[in-house]
Amino acid sequence: MKAYKWLGFCGIWLTGIAAASNASHDVDVFLAQQVSQQLEVLAQRIQTCDALKDNAEPPVLSATQLQQWSVSHEVLVNAIGYLSQHNDFQCHQAERQAAVYAMGAYAAVSANADEMLTPVSHGLLYPSEQYYQLMIQFQTLPQAAQQYLQQQVGEAPFDLLAAIRGLPNASE
Amino acid sequence: MANISGLQLDQASKDAIKRIHEKQRLGNLLGAALSAGVVTNIFARSQSWQASYNITQTDWSLYGQAMKSVPVITRAAIRKEVELMILHYHTHQNYRLLQFWEGVYEGL
Protein backbone atom coordinates (compact mmCIF):
# COMPACT_ATOMS: atom_id res chain seq x y z
CA MET A 1 0.00 0.00 0.00
CA LYS A 2 2.82 2.33 0.93
CA ALA A 3 4.53 1.55 -2.40
CA TYR A 4 1.38 2.54 -4.29
CA LYS A 5 1.22 5.79 -2.36
CA TRP A 6 4.87 6.48 -3.14
CA LEU A 7 4.34 5.76 -6.85
CA GLY A 8 1.34 8.05 -6.79
CA PHE A 9 3.44 10.78 -5.21
CA CYS A 10 6.14 10.33 -7.86
CA GLY A 11 3.52 10.46 -10.58
CA ILE A 12 2.26 13.77 -9.27
CA TRP A 13 5.83 15.04 -9.16
CA LEU A 14 6.49 13.98 -12.75
CA THR A 15 3.28 15.52 -14.01
CA GLY A 16 4.11 18.77 -12.29
CA ILE A 17 7.65 18.85 -13.57
CA ALA A 18 6.70 17.95 -17.13
CA ALA A 19 3.99 20.59 -17.18
CA ALA A 20 6.06 23.36 -15.69
CA SER A 21 9.56 22.68 -16.99
CA ASN A 22 10.54 24.01 -20.38
CA ALA A 23 13.96 22.33 -20.19
CA SER A 24 14.67 18.96 -21.79
CA HIS A 25 14.87 16.00 -19.45
CA ASP A 26 18.65 15.61 -19.77
CA VAL A 27 19.23 19.30 -19.13
CA ASP A 28 16.86 19.20 -16.17
CA VAL A 29 18.73 16.32 -14.58
CA PHE A 30 22.15 17.79 -15.37
CA LEU A 31 21.31 21.14 -13.77
CA ALA A 32 19.76 19.49 -10.71
CA GLN A 33 23.02 17.56 -10.29
CA GLN A 34 25.01 20.77 -10.61
CA VAL A 35 22.95 22.34 -7.83
CA SER A 36 23.40 19.25 -5.64
CA GLN A 37 27.16 19.29 -6.13
CA GLN A 38 27.51 23.00 -5.38
CA LEU A 39 25.37 22.67 -2.27
CA GLU A 40 27.54 19.82 -1.07
CA VAL A 41 30.65 21.96 -1.57
CA LEU A 42 28.98 24.85 0.25
CA ALA A 43 27.92 22.64 3.17
CA GLN A 44 31.48 21.35 3.55
CA ARG A 45 32.83 24.89 3.52
CA ILE A 46 30.28 26.03 6.11
CA GLN A 47 31.45 23.21 8.37
CA THR A 48 35.07 24.29 7.87
CA CYS A 49 34.15 27.88 8.72
CA ASP A 50 32.23 26.71 11.81
CA ALA A 51 35.31 24.81 12.97
CA LEU A 52 37.42 27.97 12.53
CA LYS A 53 34.83 29.86 14.57
CA ASP A 54 34.84 27.27 17.35
CA ASN A 55 38.62 27.51 17.66
CA ALA A 56 38.88 31.32 17.39
CA GLU A 57 39.82 33.45 20.37
CA PRO A 58 37.27 36.20 21.05
CA PRO A 59 38.50 39.65 19.99
CA VAL A 60 40.08 41.81 22.70
CA LEU A 61 38.97 45.44 22.64
CA SER A 62 40.28 48.35 24.67
CA ALA A 63 37.68 50.49 26.46
CA THR A 64 40.19 53.36 26.43
CA GLN A 65 40.55 53.17 22.66
CA LEU A 66 36.79 53.03 22.15
CA GLN A 67 36.14 56.00 24.46
CA GLN A 68 38.00 58.37 22.11
CA TRP A 69 35.33 57.75 19.45
CA SER A 70 32.42 57.89 21.94
CA VAL A 71 31.11 54.53 20.74
CA SER A 72 28.10 53.54 22.83
CA HIS A 73 27.79 49.98 24.08
CA GLU A 74 24.74 49.43 21.84
CA VAL A 75 26.61 50.57 18.74
CA LEU A 76 29.62 48.48 19.74
CA VAL A 77 27.48 45.33 20.13
CA ASN A 78 25.92 45.89 16.72
CA ALA A 79 29.34 46.57 15.16
CA ILE A 80 30.67 43.28 16.52
CA GLY A 81 27.49 41.57 15.33
CA TYR A 82 27.99 42.98 11.85
CA LEU A 83 31.66 41.94 11.73
CA SER A 84 30.81 38.46 12.98
CA GLN A 85 28.28 37.89 10.20
CA HIS A 86 30.50 39.64 7.64
CA ASN A 87 33.48 37.39 8.41
CA ASP A 88 31.28 34.32 8.32
CA PHE A 89 29.77 35.27 4.95
CA GLN A 90 33.24 36.04 3.59
CA CYS A 91 34.50 32.64 4.73
CA HIS A 92 32.10 30.80 2.40
CA GLN A 93 31.49 33.58 -0.11
CA ALA A 94 32.91 31.78 -3.15
CA GLU A 95 31.04 28.55 -2.45
CA ARG A 96 27.78 30.42 -1.73
CA GLN A 97 28.08 32.36 -4.98
CA ALA A 98 28.73 29.15 -6.91
CA ALA A 99 25.64 27.54 -5.35
CA VAL A 100 23.50 30.60 -6.07
CA TYR A 101 24.77 30.59 -9.67
CA ALA A 102 23.97 26.90 -10.12
CA MET A 103 20.46 27.47 -8.75
CA GLY A 104 20.01 30.52 -10.98
CA ALA A 105 21.22 28.60 -14.03
CA TYR A 106 18.68 25.86 -13.32
CA ALA A 107 15.93 28.40 -12.65
CA ALA A 108 16.73 30.19 -15.92
CA VAL A 109 15.79 27.18 -18.04
CA SER A 110 13.12 25.53 -15.88
CA ALA A 111 10.01 27.30 -14.66
CA ASN A 112 9.54 24.61 -12.03
CA ALA A 113 13.08 25.03 -10.71
CA ASP A 114 12.61 28.80 -10.73
CA GLU A 115 9.47 28.50 -8.64
CA MET A 116 11.07 26.13 -6.14
CA LEU A 117 14.70 27.22 -5.96
CA THR A 118 14.55 31.00 -6.17
CA PRO A 119 12.73 31.46 -2.83
CA VAL A 120 15.16 28.97 -1.30
CA SER A 121 18.23 30.83 -2.47
CA HIS A 122 16.72 34.12 -1.30
CA GLY A 123 15.79 32.71 2.11
CA LEU A 124 18.84 30.62 2.86
CA LEU A 125 21.84 31.87 0.88
CA TYR A 126 21.64 35.67 0.78
CA PRO A 127 22.25 38.00 3.74
CA SER A 128 19.11 39.38 5.40
CA GLU A 129 17.91 42.98 5.37
CA GLN A 130 18.99 43.31 9.02
CA TYR A 131 22.54 42.39 8.03
CA TYR A 132 22.67 45.35 5.66
CA GLN A 133 21.18 47.61 8.35
CA LEU A 134 24.03 46.58 10.66
CA MET A 135 26.53 47.20 7.86
CA ILE A 136 25.18 50.69 7.22
CA GLN A 137 25.27 51.46 10.96
CA PHE A 138 28.87 50.23 11.10
CA GLN A 139 29.81 52.51 8.20
CA THR A 140 28.56 55.54 10.15
CA LEU A 141 31.30 54.98 12.75
CA PRO A 142 34.42 57.15 12.46
CA GLN A 143 36.85 55.64 9.94
CA ALA A 144 39.48 55.11 12.63
CA ALA A 145 36.97 53.22 14.80
CA GLN A 146 35.97 50.99 11.87
CA GLN A 147 39.62 50.21 11.17
CA TYR A 148 40.38 49.53 14.82
CA LEU A 149 37.45 47.10 15.17
CA GLN A 150 38.28 45.35 11.90
CA GLN A 151 41.92 44.96 12.95
CA GLN A 152 40.97 43.58 16.36
CA VAL A 153 38.52 40.98 15.05
CA GLY A 154 40.57 40.05 11.98
CA GLU A 155 39.11 38.42 8.89
CA ALA A 156 38.37 34.92 10.17
CA PRO A 157 34.99 33.82 11.55
CA PHE A 158 34.58 34.20 15.31
CA ASP A 159 31.92 33.26 17.83
CA LEU A 160 29.48 36.13 18.35
CA LEU A 161 28.37 35.19 21.83
CA ALA A 162 31.92 34.85 23.17
CA ALA A 163 32.84 38.17 21.55
CA ILE A 164 29.88 40.04 23.06
CA ARG A 165 30.49 38.58 26.50
CA GLY A 166 34.07 39.85 26.37
CA LEU A 167 33.21 43.39 25.31
CA PRO A 168 34.21 46.33 27.50
CA ASN A 169 31.49 48.83 28.33
CA ALA A 170 32.70 51.69 26.16
CA SER A 171 30.35 54.28 27.62
CA GLU A 172 31.80 53.95 31.11
CA MET B 1 21.83 26.14 30.01
CA ALA B 2 19.71 27.68 32.76
CA ASN B 3 16.00 26.93 33.14
CA ILE B 4 13.72 29.73 31.97
CA SER B 5 10.21 29.69 33.40
CA GLY B 6 7.23 31.81 32.43
CA LEU B 7 8.96 33.30 29.42
CA GLN B 8 6.76 35.58 27.36
CA LEU B 9 7.81 36.20 23.79
CA ASP B 10 7.46 39.72 22.46
CA GLN B 11 6.60 40.55 18.85
CA ALA B 12 10.25 40.65 17.72
CA SER B 13 10.80 37.11 19.02
CA LYS B 14 7.56 35.86 17.49
CA ASP B 15 8.56 37.36 14.13
CA ALA B 16 12.01 35.77 14.38
CA ILE B 17 10.48 32.36 15.15
CA LYS B 18 8.25 32.74 12.08
CA ARG B 19 11.33 33.51 9.97
CA ILE B 20 13.12 30.47 11.42
CA HIS B 21 10.13 28.26 10.55
CA GLU B 22 10.22 29.70 7.04
CA LYS B 23 13.91 28.82 6.71
CA GLN B 24 13.15 25.27 7.86
CA ARG B 25 10.36 25.08 5.27
CA LEU B 26 12.71 26.38 2.56
CA GLY B 27 15.31 23.79 3.57
CA ASN B 28 12.70 21.05 3.15
CA LEU B 29 11.63 22.56 -0.15
CA LEU B 30 15.22 22.52 -1.32
CA GLY B 31 15.43 18.79 -0.62
CA ALA B 32 12.19 18.23 -2.51
CA ALA B 33 13.32 20.34 -5.45
CA LEU B 34 16.57 18.43 -5.78
CA SER B 35 14.81 15.10 -5.55
CA ALA B 36 12.84 16.07 -8.66
CA GLY B 37 15.86 15.39 -10.88
CA VAL B 38 16.27 11.93 -9.37
CA VAL B 39 12.61 11.06 -9.65
CA THR B 40 12.27 12.19 -13.27
CA ASN B 41 15.38 10.24 -14.19
CA ILE B 42 14.12 7.01 -12.67
CA PHE B 43 10.71 7.21 -14.34
CA ALA B 44 12.02 8.28 -17.71
CA ARG B 45 14.47 5.38 -17.93
CA SER B 46 12.82 2.68 -15.88
CA GLN B 47 12.16 0.56 -18.98
CA SER B 48 15.84 -0.33 -19.11
CA TRP B 49 17.38 -2.30 -16.25
CA GLN B 50 20.89 -1.10 -17.12
CA ALA B 51 19.82 2.53 -17.30
CA SER B 52 18.14 2.15 -13.95
CA TYR B 53 21.37 0.75 -12.51
CA ASN B 54 23.31 3.73 -13.85
CA ILE B 55 20.91 6.08 -12.20
CA THR B 56 21.54 4.40 -8.87
CA GLN B 57 25.25 4.97 -9.26
CA THR B 58 25.01 8.64 -10.13
CA ASP B 59 21.79 10.38 -9.23
CA TRP B 60 21.10 8.68 -5.95
CA SER B 61 24.58 9.38 -4.64
CA LEU B 62 24.23 13.03 -5.63
CA TYR B 63 20.79 13.11 -4.10
CA GLY B 64 22.20 11.64 -0.90
CA GLN B 65 24.94 14.27 -0.87
CA ALA B 66 22.38 17.02 -1.41
CA MET B 67 20.20 15.73 1.40
CA LYS B 68 23.21 15.75 3.73
CA SER B 69 24.16 19.29 2.73
CA VAL B 70 20.71 20.85 3.12
CA PRO B 71 20.52 20.64 6.95
CA VAL B 72 23.97 22.27 7.26
CA ILE B 73 22.92 25.17 5.03
CA THR B 74 19.56 25.55 6.76
CA ARG B 75 21.17 25.54 10.19
CA ALA B 76 23.68 28.20 9.08
CA ALA B 77 20.83 30.43 7.87
CA ILE B 78 18.92 29.92 11.13
CA ARG B 79 22.04 30.75 13.16
CA LYS B 80 22.24 34.13 11.40
CA GLU B 81 18.65 34.84 12.43
CA VAL B 82 19.36 33.86 16.05
CA GLU B 83 22.47 36.07 16.12
CA LEU B 84 20.32 39.02 15.08
CA MET B 85 17.95 38.32 17.98
CA ILE B 86 20.88 38.20 20.42
CA LEU B 87 22.00 41.61 19.14
CA HIS B 88 18.44 42.91 19.40
CA TYR B 89 17.91 41.87 23.03
CA HIS B 90 21.42 42.83 24.07
CA THR B 91 20.91 46.36 22.82
CA HIS B 92 17.34 46.52 24.18
CA GLN B 93 18.53 45.12 27.53
CA ASN B 94 15.85 42.46 27.76
CA TYR B 95 17.85 39.87 29.65
CA ARG B 96 15.19 37.17 29.87
CA LEU B 97 14.69 37.05 26.12
CA LEU B 98 18.44 37.43 25.63
CA GLN B 99 18.92 34.37 27.82
CA PHE B 100 16.35 32.50 25.73
CA TRP B 101 18.02 33.34 22.40
CA GLU B 102 21.48 32.62 23.78
CA GLY B 103 20.20 29.18 24.72
CA VAL B 104 18.85 28.72 21.19
CA TYR B 105 22.23 29.81 19.79
CA GLU B 106 24.21 27.44 21.96
CA GLY B 107 21.95 24.57 20.94
CA LEU B 108 22.52 25.07 17.21
Side-chain angles (χ1 to χ4, degrees), chain A residues 39-60:
Chain A
L39 289 175
E40 170 68 7
V41 171
L42 173 61
Q44 285 175 358
R45 182 62 187 164
I46 286 172
Q47 287 173 319
T48 302
C49 295
D50 285 349
L52 288 172
K53 195 184 295 183
D54 290 343
N55 294 323
E57 289 293 322
V60 177

Side-chain angles (χ1 to χ4, degrees), chain A residues 10 13-14 17 25-26 33 35 37 39-40 43 50 74 77 85 88 120 123 159-161 164-165, chain B residues 23 26 32 34 36 40-41 43 45 59 62 65 69 72-73 79-80 83-84 87 90-91 102 105-106:
Chain A
C10 291
W13 257 109
L14 269 178
I17 291 160
H25 168 73
D26 286 348
Q33 288 175 346
V35 173
Q37 287 169 340
L39 289 175
E40 170 68 7
D50 285 349
E74 178 184 337
V77 166
Q85 294 211 346
D88 199 45
V120 172
D159 185 80
L160 175 66
L161 211 48
I164 288 179
R165 285 173 176 162
Chain B
K23 289 184 193 307
L26 290 172
L34 294 173
T40 48
N41 216 4
F43 273 77
R45 300 184 189 182
D59 292 341
L62 283 168
Q65 284 177 1
S69 64
V72 173
I73 293 165
R79 192 187 301 121
K80 292 275 174 293
E83 286 175 351
L84 291 169
L87 297 177
H90 213 288
T91 54
E102 285 181 351
Y105 179 87
E106 287 173 342

